[in-house]
Structures are given as C-alpha cells and as structure tokens.
Amino acid sequence: MRFLLPLLPLLLASPAANALEIPDNLKSFYKKLKSKGQCDDKLASGFYNSEFNDDGDTAYCGDYLDEYGVIYLQSKNGRFSNLDVDCDGDQGDDNDGRCSHGDDTQSRTAVKSVIESYDVGISDLDPYLHSYVVFGNVGGSNDFDPHEYGIYETSVMAVICGDQLFYGVWGDYNGDSDRPSVGETSLSLATACYGKGMSSSDGSGTSHNEEDVLYIAFIGQDAVPGKDGAAWDAGSFNEFHDSITDLGNKLVNRVGNDDIAKKMKGIFEESTVDCSWIDHCKGATCESADDCADDLTCSNGKCAER
C-alpha cells in the first residue's frame, strides 16, 4: 500500500461507472457505525490507512459478525478507511500508465489459483477490468486472515465510497510492511469511486485519503459467485460489476434485517469451517488430492479429511 499526498479538490473527478444508490438499511448502518465512533469487537487492530494518520488505529471489526455475518474496517472517532490503488494481477493490454508507478505491484493476486481453477479463459484478475478489494493482512508483524472467520476468496464485498455503493470481490491481501496497512482496491474500482486521477503513483490526487470509505465483507459460501456467477472474462469494469450486482444486493440485504439474520444464523456458524478454496472443500467432487483444499484428500471421488 502506498501512502500519498492529499487529494486536490475535485481533481480529475468524473462520473462514477455503474454507481449504485446506497439502500436505506446500509445508510443507517453507516450512520450507526459513525455515531458509535469505533467498534467494540476488534478481531485485529493496529492497522494504518493513511500517511497522515500515525495512530495505527484501524481495526477489522466483528461487532455484527453473529447478527449479519459481516466484518468491516473502522478507525476511531467515527472514521472508517481511505482508498488506495492496487495494481496486482494480470494487466493484459489495458495498461494506460496508471499502474506503472508502484514498486510494490505484483504480477499475480492472491486468488490467481482460484481463477485458474474456474477455467474461464483468464488466468487472474485484471486491475483495469475487475472490481476487487484488498482485505486481510499476511506476512507482516500484524496479520489478519479473513478465512478464520468464514470469509472465502473471491466472495463479494460492499464498498461505500463517495456517497455511492459498489461491489467487488475479495481478490488480494495487504502484504508485509513496516506499517501494516488497509484500505485498497483494484484500479478499476478506485476509478469508479473517485475518477481517473486515481493511480499507483505517489503524485497528488492519486489516492483518496479521507477516512470515509466503508469496506464490508460477508461470511459464508453464499457470498461467492463461483465459476458461473460472475463474468470473469468481462471486457470492461461495467460488465464485470453488473455481473456481481444481484449477489451483492442480496448480501447487503442482510445488514440491519433481523428476520434474515435469524434465518441465516446457522449458516453463519457453519461458515467458520476452515477451508481456503471454495468449491474444493470437504464433500466436493475430486479426481485426486490436488483437487481438494488445504489438507483434504480425495477419497471415493469426494474431498475428505485424511
């Protein structure tokens, strides 16, 4: 993650692509969290989200994990997170130069193996096309693994940015750093939120440093679109975002909806099963152990415990 200079007012602002109106239940949730100030159930804390905040007070929050099956990012005093640009993945022929500046850009995302397993004509996410969120921290002094709480790779997440709503898939981790950091999305999602001034460079206006962006992850396998539930081979951000919008709307409907929460409580509890490869967990069809997640083996055509 890069920590950048403040935004110049209205610099290179542009109309958001496929921006969604924030539904009333999510507006109320945002206001409730902001009024509360900070979360009580900090699943992990001590993360940084801005060059201009030296407190390291951002946390992964589980206050509504049991009620609504969500984990979100929040700092103190009613602040949430910022939004920086991530350019990891397969940039293909789309590079317009905005992903050419960061010295920490990787040629693959954390979900490359999942995308490859879908066999949909692409080998990884493309930061120029796919709407994805960087969530979780690994390889540093302060780690948080969403898997431990039932968040699955490529599951759909909600992002409130610029008074609008977008969806993205969980596509990457925050890596090792002296300042364990949070608050990052693919270039395409960052552009949809705040315009074409967003980039991986350290220049002014290339990041959104106001701590008003809310990231929400949803637990459970029902949050994962899978091979056929998203246009993985999409040719544009709009096409991909449209393909995950119905699922995103369904997930967002959990928030603040007590009736749905009661019906789904059992699903949330079951979702804490430790399995890092969706569709390859215990009971999935397999031909060999290579088709099964983690330490599972293939027994009689099904992934099973050894």
Side-chain angles (χ1 to χ4, degrees):
M1 175 174 291
R2 295 153 300 284
F3 297 114
L4 311 171
L5 298 175
L7 282 170
L8 293 177
L10 302 180
L11 176 67
L12 294 175
S14 64
N18 285 20
L20 302 172
E21 183 177 350
I22 304 172
D24 290 341
N25 65 313
L26 208 54
K27 286 181 181 178
S28 297
F29 187 63
Y30 186 99
K31 292 178 180 178
K32 180 178 182 179
L33 298 181
K34 188 172 181 64
S35 176
K36 187 177 180 181
Q38 63 179 319
C39 60
D40 297 319
D41 186 5
K42 296 180 175 63
L43 305 177
S45 59
F47 298 95
Y48 298 85
N49 67 60
S50 171
E51 178 183 13
F52 310 101
N53 174 11
D54 292 325
D55 296 332
D57 60 3
T58 306
Y60 288 92
C61 301
D63 289 26
Y64 298 93
L65 183 59
D66 293 333
E67 281 186 82
Y68 308 136
V70 300
I71 296 174
Y72 59 95
L73 287 172
Q74 186 170 19
S75 302
K76 294 181 179 179
N77 302 317
R79 296 177 291 111
F80 292 105
S81 185
N82 73 329
L83 194 154
D84 285 329
V85 170
D86 185 77
C87 283
D88 291 357
D90 182 3
Q91 297 179 19
D93 299 324
D94 308 303
N95 197 329
D96 63 2
R98 290 186 294 148
C99 272
S100 301
H101 307 284
D103 57 7
D104 59 349
T105 297
Q106 305 294 317
S107 61
R108 59 174 293 159
T109 68
V111 300
K112 177 178 173 64
S113 62
V114 177
I115 301 302
E116 287 179 329
S117 75
Y118 288 161
D119 191 24
V120 289
I122 63 171
S123 62
D124 201 355
L125 299 177
D126 182 337
Y128 279 91
L129 298 178
H130 296 102
S131 177
Y132 72 75
V133 181
V134 182
F135 200 70
N137 292 70
V138 297
S141 59
N142 193 9
D143 288 356
F144 175 74
D145 187 356
H147 288 123
E148 296 180 4
Y149 295 91
I151 307 294
Y152 288 87
E153 291 174 337
T154 70
S155 60
V156 171
M157 294 181 58
V159 179
I160 295 179
C161 57
D163 295 322
Q164 55 203 351
L165 172 65
F166 288 99
Y167 297 119
V169 296
W170 175 30
D172 215 355
Y173 284 102
N174 296 285
D176 186 14
S177 172
D178 293 335
R179 291 165 58 98
S181 306
V182 293
E184 195 166 303
T185 75
S186 63
L187 175 67
S188 61
L189 179 51
T191 301
C193 287
Y194 296 111
K196 290 188 176 181
M198 301 294 285
S199 80
S200 63
S201 79
D202 294 333
S204 177
T206 59
S207 177
H208 178 79
N209 284 311
E210 293 181 36
E211 296 163 292
D212 56 3
V213 181
L214 178 59
Y215 300 88
I216 306 174
F218 302 89
I219 72 171
Q221 293 190 24
D222 64 316
V224 180
K227 175 180 178 178
D228 300 319
W232 299 107
D233 60 347
S236 69
F237 170 85
N238 285 349
E239 183 182 356
F240 180 73
H241 189 265
D242 284 349
S243 75
I244 60 174
T245 293
D246 285 348
L247 177 54
N249 290 340
K250 178 181 177 182
L251 295 169
V252 161
N253 197 38
R254 290 182 186 178
V255 179
N257 192 322
D258 293 335
D259 290 336
I260 290 180
K262 290 177 182 178
K263 293 178 182 178
M264 300 191 71
K265 184 172 177 57
I267 296 176
F268 297 159
E269 292 171 346
E270 292 173 3
S271 295
T272 58
V273 175
D274 185 14
C275 177
S276 63
W277 192 6
I278 191 69
D279 295 334
H280 297 262
C281 303
K282 185 176 179 180
T285 302
C286 60
E287 294 183 0
S288 71
D290 291 337
D291 297 324
C292 301
D294 307 314
D295 293 328
L296 298 177
T297 189
C298 187
S299 178
N300 297 321
K302 297 289 184 181
C303 294
E305 295 180 357
R306 296 181 183 274

